């Protein structure tokens, strides 16, 4: 929201034979290293991408409550008012807690549409995904996304992970094909 760009770059985790099997996410703010988070998080990202796509569908349970597809996100699992869709921290247990975080929560907002002093208006309720990243230096960045933008971001991450050698094809085939580069602006 401050004009910065945050690149979220999947980096392959490899087994003893050097074969990629999962990813860790490198965070880069305006091209500079910002942290590394989410060790072995690719399958979780693929599962979330599938849940977001299902929530956006016109026949989903979310469609009845949220007519605008941009407001449709997976139903909260814990009943929280602002549920978390993901929260990734530093990648190794030995890292300091300040080496990076990437978090996505759902926020609901409402605005009165119509004149303030009349009963002829209505409430416009909207949901958005808020992605926050915190770097090793303690600075943070934030992006607010619609459900289609979140779906595109997750699909981009999965596509980049596949290029890095970690395939989630079994889940990726269920999600729309993305454009390259997972970037938030």
């Amino acid at each position: 929201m401050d004009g910065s760009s945050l690149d979220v770059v999947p980096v392959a985790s490899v087994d003893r034979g050097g074969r990629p099997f999962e990813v860790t996410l490198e965070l880069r703010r305006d091209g500079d290293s910002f942290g590394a988070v989410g060790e072995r998080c690719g399958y979780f990202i693929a599962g979330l991408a599938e849940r977001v796509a299902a929530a956006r569908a016109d026949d989903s349970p979310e469609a009845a409550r949220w007519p605008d597809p941009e407001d449709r996100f997976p139903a909260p699992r814990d009943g929280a008012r602002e549920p978390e869709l993901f929260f990734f921290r530093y990648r190794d247990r030995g890292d300091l807690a300040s080496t990076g975080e990437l978090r996505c929560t759902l926020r609901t907002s409402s605005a009165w549409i119509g004149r303030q002093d009349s009963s002829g208006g209505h409430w416009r309720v909207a949901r958005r995904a808020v992605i926050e990243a915190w770097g090793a230096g303690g600075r943070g960045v934030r992006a607010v996304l619609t459900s289609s933008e979140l779906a595109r971001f997750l699909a981009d991450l999965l596509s980049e992970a596949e290029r890095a050698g970690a395939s989630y094809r079994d889940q990726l085939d269920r999600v729309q094909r993305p454009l390259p580069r997972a970037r938030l602006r």
Side-chain angles (χ1 to χ4, degrees):
M1 293 184 76
D2 67 355
S4 298
S5 68
L6 178 71
D7 288 322
V8 181
V9 181
V11 176
S13 298
V14 296
D15 63 17
R16 290 182 187 178
R19 291 178 299 275
F21 68 96
E22 255 292 5
V23 294
T24 296
L25 304 176
E26 268 187 23
L27 307 177
R28 296 183 188 144
R29 181 177 182 239
D30 296 329
D32 295 329
S33 179
F34 199 59
V37 300
E39 184 150 23
R40 299 183 182 119
C41 63
Y43 277 98
F44 180 83
I45 292 168
L48 178 58
E50 182 179 47
R51 290 178 29 234
V52 170
R56 287 185 48 77
D58 288 335
D59 61 348
S60 73
E62 290 80 10
R65 181 157 185 232
W66 302 99
D68 184 349
E70 296 299 355
D71 294 328
R72 295 181 200 156
F73 294 90
R77 293 182 180 189
D78 58 2
R81 288 186 63 211
E82 293 183 356
E84 252 175 24
L85 294 178
F86 62 78
F87 184 41
F88 301 129
R89 289 191 176 178
Y90 51 93
R91 49 177 253 162
D92 292 322
R93 292 177 200 206
D95 287 349
L96 298 175
S98 64
T99 59
E101 293 182 359
L102 183 66
R103 179 179 188 211
C104 180
T105 57
L106 291 180
R107 300 226 174 114
T108 304
S109 64
S110 57
W112 182 255
I113 308 298
R115 290 190 354 206
Q116 294 293 11
D117 58 350
S118 77
S119 62
H122 65 279
W123 287 102
R124 165 65 173 115
V125 180
R127 287 174 63 185
R128 295 294 180 258
V130 178
I131 296 182
E132 297 172 305
W134 296 91
R139 292 191 55 183
V141 295
R142 176 182 296 153
V144 178
L145 306 176
T146 64
S147 66
S148 65
E149 291 168 334
L150 179 62
R152 170 61 108 350
F153 173 71
L154 296 170
D156 289 351
L157 282 176
L158 294 170
S159 181
E160 289 286 319
E162 187 170 18
R163 280 194 274 286
S167 178
Y168 306 95
R169 177 131 337 254
D170 56 332
Q171 292 178 350
L172 185 59
D173 286 341
R174 298 178 216 160
V175 180
Q176 288 183 0
R177 275 287 168 188
L179 296 174
R181 197 39 131 200
R183 172 173 270 186
L184 297 173
R185 286 195 184 251

